[in-house]
Amino acid sequence: MEGISPPSSSNPIVVKKIQESRRKPLFIKELIKSILEGNHTALSRGITLVESTATKHQQQAKELIQGCLPHANNSIRIGITGVPGVGKSTFIESFGTLLTQKGKKVAVLAVDPSSTLSKGSILGDKTRMEELVKNPNAFIRPSASGESLGGVARKTREAIILCEAAGFDIIIIETVGVGQSETTVHSMTDFFLLLKLAGAGDELQGIKRGIMEMADAIVINKADGDNVKAAKLAKTEFNRALHLYPEKESGWTPKTLTCSSINNEGIEDVWNLIEEYSTTVKKNNYFQEKRNEQNKFWLMQTIESALKANFYHQAKVKKELEKQLQLLQAHKTTPFEAAEVLLKITS
Amino acid sequence: MEGISPPSSSNPIVVKKIQESRRKPLFIKELIKSILEGNHTALSRGITLVESTATKHQQQAKELIQGCLPHANNSIRIGITGVPGVGKSTFIESFGTLLTQKGKKVAVLAVDPSSTLSKGSILGDKTRMEELVKNPNAFIRPSASGESLGGVARKTREAIILCEAAGFDIIIIETVGVGQSETTVHSMTDFFLLLKLAGAGDELQGIKRGIMEMADAIVINKADGDNVKAAKLAKTEFNRALHLYPEKESGWTPKTLTCSSINNEGIEDVWNLIEEYSTTVKKNNYFQEKRNEQNKFWLMQTIESALKANFYHQAKVKKELEKQLQLLQAHKTTPFEAAEVLLKITS
């Protein structure tokens, strides 16, 4: 087959670029442009795209992320957790409004592994943040749903990138204390805030499961009316409890504050605390180190999930696993011997 | 090639058996026989064989385990942990001696992931259990050393099988609180005992890292002389702390006791507690369920370690991982994109 060979003067890099731009649909280029301009509708569309499980959207989502990445990473990512009823929405409404008054752009995302069951127990009802939802400098996105926490985490991490590219400098990731969701949120945020209530045995809830150990600040909400005294007492108690934990790698000593979200009291103190934290960990380089560690964690985590999934999803493995578990139960093999048999199937 | 075909009357099962017995060296058959007879020297040799990393020993070790397995699983496996200085050796000496007086056969093994560094910080010096080491109904084995906790765990689990086959009905697994070793010991024992001291800020040590959450009993050692009062106080304190944790799957409420190992006081109470536990969990079937869960855990754990090792040990993966980590740090890729690139190498 004879053809016209390219003129020797044509630059192969330029040729490649033109070819690539032809492959990339105009739609994604436009979407990236609009997101970078801070267009909320484009941002929403972008997040919907990265959340899509349709195969045809996956290549587009990749290009979108790739286009936004160079403009991301310039925010403070704040994780907020607390049991249902602690007033997360009211707090975020009050806190977010304050930040926009200070000239910040605030995005609120949610990680809710239970949403497939409860159909959006958090942020599902946008009206719970009446003020913030109308604020042009705020962006609220209900939780990504998904079958696995890993899947939800990926979508949330990618949504963070898009929000950052759209110019949001404060990213709030909200979660409800279900299963491992706090750990997940902790592993994608710079600052971890635990919302608490005074009394009602709530003091005890934080002690288990290492949530208190993860907190950079504990904020006792609803410190208003008859509750003020109990909140102050709880503050002392939590402060004492926090001192039981070993010093944090960040060099930061977690603090306890009280606030009233409905009265807008103590909210500014929370922000001051986060700024103090931010200054500290940017100075001692922990801020960047932690983000690098988080990236590495998610890289490894994704690889290891895939390795496991690829292994266990094989029909032969499934069948043999069942057999080996029966042998184990009958004390006819050891876990190590059984593992060897299973591993031999695929090697 | 023509040969003599076997007479039609020869039983293929018998033929197979004879062939197998010819393949299995006489040495292993003799070793199994001696272990089942309760010979301590044979048991020691057997454990040395399963601990060996030499390839030629691995097939022999397998046959040994296979021969012992039908005679194993008839013990109570007790995990004992506590910080250095808490008096683990003295406690085990006193506790083990009591058990032998009750007609039990006691084996003491150790899990010590740090032993490669510290050259056997626990049980390395057998003379620390002067009485027990001379006792014909006791068997003490210093810790297996190994590069990984997984490796040490496997050797310990296999040593348990051999000890059980040798007729030991109480297996004590000792560990020092280093890294993840308590979790490892917890995942291979039926009852988990945490040794503590009164005072010296020791009350706080247990609260972090979830060790207290794993304990079925907390025993405050050295409750003697001037220490009695402080020990009683600590008992009350720990009991209160234990109540903060959610109810155990076993249906068992963890208890706190005091004892003096050097004065042999309170040691019998510890045994009574373990018997009470044993009765409870055998009745509600948790005992067997937990062992099944542990077997499954070690099966999965072994498979997943192997999958990871096989993946990350590839030269191509190593090289690309380094590259992707650099791209990550420069914000030129995402953890998920990087993982995809890496996973494609081997698919």
Side-chain angles (χ1 to χ4, degrees):
Chain A
M1 298 270 285
E2 293 262 329
I4 298 156
S5 54
S8 57
S9 64
S10 74
N11 182 338
I13 294 166
V14 173
V15 169
K16 203 169 168 259
K17 269 202 169 167
I18 291 169
Q19 284 173 340
E20 271 179 359
S21 78
R22 277 188 196 144
R23 270 203 303 271
K24 188 183 289 188
L26 194 64
F27 156 65
I28 292 297
K29 283 170 88 176
E30 288 295 332
L31 192 59
I32 293 171
K33 192 167 163 280
S34 296
I35 287 175
L36 295 181
E37 285 166 4
N39 182 308
H40 286 207
T41 313
L43 178 57
S44 275
R45 264 183 88 189
I47 296 178
T48 304
L49 190 63
V50 299
E51 284 178 354
S52 168
T53 49
T55 319
K56 62 174 177 176
H57 291 149
Q58 284 174 0
Q59 185 54 35
Q60 293 181 335
K62 257 188 214 186
E63 284 161 15
L64 176 62
I65 295 288
Q66 211 55 47
C68 287
L69 251 186
H71 310 278
N73 284 293
N74 299 312
S75 75
I76 297 181
R77 303 167 185 166
I78 302 169
I80 296 184
T81 192
V83 295
V86 77
K88 284 190 293 298
S89 296
T90 329
F91 175 79
I92 293 171
E93 165 103 339
S94 179
F95 182 61
T97 304
L98 173 82
L99 293 178
T100 59
Q101 283 160 4
K102 289 182 179 293
K104 303 280 179 192
K105 286 185 73 185
V106 182
V108 183
L109 305 169
V111 167
D112 183 7
S114 69
S115 65
T116 39
L117 293 172
S118 64
K119 289 287 164 210
S121 60
I122 54 171
L123 282 182
D125 187 5
K126 279 193 189 187
T127 55
R128 290 192 297 154
M129 298 184 192
E130 278 182 359
E131 284 297 316
L132 210 54
V133 81
K134 290 180 288 187
N135 192 317
N137 285 317
F139 175 81
I140 303 180
R141 176 81 184 190
S143 65
S145 64
E147 280 174 34
S148 73
L149 202 51
V152 173
R154 174 178 187 154
K155 289 169 187 174
T156 307
R157 294 249 332 171
E158 292 181 339
I160 291 173
I161 291 170
L162 301 190
C163 289
E164 288 174 342
F168 288 91
D169 36 24
I170 310 283
I171 317 283
I172 293 173
I173 321 285
E174 178 193 359
T175 191
V176 72
V178 172
Q180 292 294 305
S181 68
E182 286 104 342
T183 314
T184 304
V185 169
H186 182 251
S187 66
M188 56 171 73
T189 52
D190 306 311
F191 187 91
F192 196 67
L193 193 156
L194 176 59
L195 274 182
K196 283 282 187 181
L197 290 180
D202 201 280
E203 292 92 325
L204 311 183
Q205 291 173 352
I207 295 175
K208 64 169 179 169
R209 308 213 183 271
I211 296 170
M212 274 203 16
E213 224 169 322
M214 298 192 303
D216 295 304
I218 293 175
V219 176
I220 299 150
N221 197 15
K222 302 191 184 175
D224 36 49
D226 296 342
N227 231 342
V228 175
K229 217 176 182 177
K232 278 187 185 161
L233 214 70
K235 183 183 162 176
T236 314
E237 207 159 316
F238 282 128
N239 255 332
R240 198 184 300 138
L242 282 174
H243 279 97
L244 298 184
Y245 296 109
E247 209 196 329
K248 292 205 162 212
E249 237 186 298
S250 53
W252 170 257
T253 311
K255 310 269 190 310
T256 308
L257 296 171
T258 60
C259 80
S260 165
S261 299
I262 50 162
N263 294 346
N264 267 314
E265 284 165 6
I267 305 295
E268 183 132 23
D269 296 338
V270 177
W271 174 239
N272 291 340
L273 195 72
I274 295 175
E275 281 209 305
E276 193 193 326
Y277 173 84
S278 178
T279 310
T280 307
V281 295
K282 279 180 178 164
K283 221 179 192 173
N284 69 16
N285 215 29
Y286 179 78
F287 186 87
Q288 198 47 55
E289 275 168 29
K290 190 181 178 187
R291 286 207 172 173
N292 289 343
E293 277 310 306
Q294 288 177 341
N295 276 335
K296 204 173 161 184
F297 169 81
W298 286 106
L299 165 59
M300 300 297 203
Q301 224 269 340
T302 308
I303 287 177
E304 285 151 28
S305 306
L307 292 176
K308 280 197 265 181
N310 290 344
F311 183 79
Y312 289 117
H313 284 177
Q314 293 169 76
K316 271 187 185 174
V317 170
K318 276 186 192 166
K319 209 177 145 192
E320 187 64 40
L321 178 61
E322 213 170 292
K323 193 178 144 196
Q324 292 297 326
L325 285 175
Q326 277 167 6
L327 289 173
L328 259 178
Q329 207 150 351
H331 303 313
K332 283 183 179 157
T333 188
T334 67
F336 312 105
E337 182 66 30
E340 236 171 77
V341 173
L342 281 159
L343 287 163
K344 260 184 200 147
I345 293 177
T346 50
S347 63
Chain B
M1 300 272 283
E2 293 264 326
I4 298 156
S5 55
S8 58
S9 64
S10 76
N11 183 338
I13 294 167
V14 172
V15 170
K16 201 167 170 256
K17 269 203 171 168
I18 291 170
Q19 284 173 339
E20 270 179 0
S21 79
R22 279 189 196 142
R23 270 204 302 272
K24 190 183 287 188
L26 194 65
F27 156 67
I28 292 297
K29 282 170 86 176
E30 287 294 333
L31 192 60
I32 293 171
K33 192 168 163 278
S34 296
I35 288 175
L36 294 182
E37 284 165 4
N39 183 310
H40 287 207
T41 314
L43 177 57
S44 275
R45 266 183 88 188
I47 296 179
T48 304
L49 190 65
V50 299
E51 284 179 353
S52 169
T53 49
T55 319
K56 62 173 177 176
H57 291 148
Q58 285 174 0
Q59 185 53 37
Q60 293 182 334
K62 257 188 211 183
E63 284 162 14
L64 176 63
I65 295 288
Q66 212 54 46
C68 287
L69 252 186
H71 311 277
N73 285 294
N74 299 311
S75 76
I76 299 179
R77 303 167 186 166
I78 303 169
I80 296 183
T81 193
V83 294
V86 77
K88 283 191 292 297
S89 297
T90 329
F91 174 79
I92 293 171
E93 165 103 340
S94 181
F95 183 61
T97 304
L98 173 83
L99 295 178
T100 59
Q101 283 160 5
K102 289 183 179 294
K104 303 281 179 193
K105 286 186 73 186
V106 182
V108 184
L109 306 169
V111 167
D112 183 7
S114 67
S115 65
T116 39
L117 292 173
S118 63
K119 288 290 164 205
S121 61
I122 53 170
L123 281 185
D125 186 5
K126 278 194 188 185
T127 56
R128 290 191 297 154
M129 297 183 191
E130 279 182 359
E131 284 297 315
L132 209 56
V133 80
K134 289 180 291 188
N135 192 318
N137 285 318
F139 176 81
I140 302 180
R141 177 79 183 191
S143 65
S145 64
E147 281 173 35
S148 72
L149 203 53
V152 172
R154 174 178 186 156
K155 288 167 186 175
T156 307
R157 295 250 330 171
E158 292 181 339
I160 292 174
I161 291 170
L162 301 190
C163 289
E164 289 174 344
F168 288 91
D169 35 23
I170 310 284
I171 317 282
I172 294 173
I173 320 284
E174 178 192 358
T175 193
V176 72
V178 173
Q180 292 295 307
S181 68
E182 285 103 343
T183 315
T184 305
V185 169
H186 183 251
S187 67
M188 55 172 74
T189 52
D190 307 311
F191 187 90
F192 197 67
L193 192 157
L194 175 59
L195 275 183
K196 282 281 187 184
L197 289 179
D202 202 282
E203 291 92 325
L204 313 183
Q205 291 172 354
I207 296 174
K208 63 172 179 169
R209 306 210 183 276
I211 295 172
M212 274 205 10
E213 224 169 322
M214 299 192 302
D216 296 303
I218 293 176
V219 176
I220 298 150
N221 197 15
K222 303 191 184 175
D224 36 48
D226 296 343
N227 229 344
V228 175
K229 217 175 181 177
K232 279 187 185 160
L233 214 70
K235 183 183 161 175
T236 313
E237 207 157 316
F238 282 128
N239 254 333
R240 198 183 301 139
L242 282 173
H243 279 97
L244 298 184
Y245 297 109
E247 209 197 331
K248 293 206 162 213
E249 235 185 299
S250 53
W252 171 256
T253 311
K255 309 270 190 312
T256 308
L257 295 172
T258 60
C259 80
S260 165
S261 299
I262 50 163
N263 295 346
N264 268 314
E265 284 165 7
I267 304 297
E268 184 132 20
D269 295 339
V270 177
W271 175 240
N272 290 340
L273 194 72
I274 295 175
E275 282 208 304
E276 194 192 326
Y277 173 84
S278 178
T279 309
T280 308
V281 296
K282 278 178 180 168
K283 220 179 191 172
N284 69 15
N285 215 28
Y286 178 77
F287 187 86
Q288 197 48 54
E289 274 168 28
K290 189 181 179 188
R291 285 206 173 174
N292 289 343
E293 277 309 306
Q294 289 177 340
N295 276 336
K296 203 172 162 184
F297 168 81
W298 286 106
L299 165 59
M300 301 297 203
Q301 223 269 341
T302 308
I303 287 177
E304 284 151 27
S305 307
L307 292 177
K308 280 197 261 179
N310 290 344
F311 183 78
Y312 289 117
H313 284 179
Q314 294 169 77
K316 271 187 185 173
V317 170
K318 277 186 192 168
K319 210 178 144 190
E320 188 64 38
L321 179 61
E322 214 170 293
K323 194 179 143 197
Q324 292 297 326
L325 286 174
Q326 278 167 7
L327 289 173
L328 260 179
Q329 206 150 352
H331 304 313
K332 284 182 176 155
T333 188
T334 67
F336 312 106
E337 181 68 28
E340 234 171 79
V341 173
L342 281 159
L343 286 162
K344 259 183 200 149
I345 293 178
T346 49
S347 65

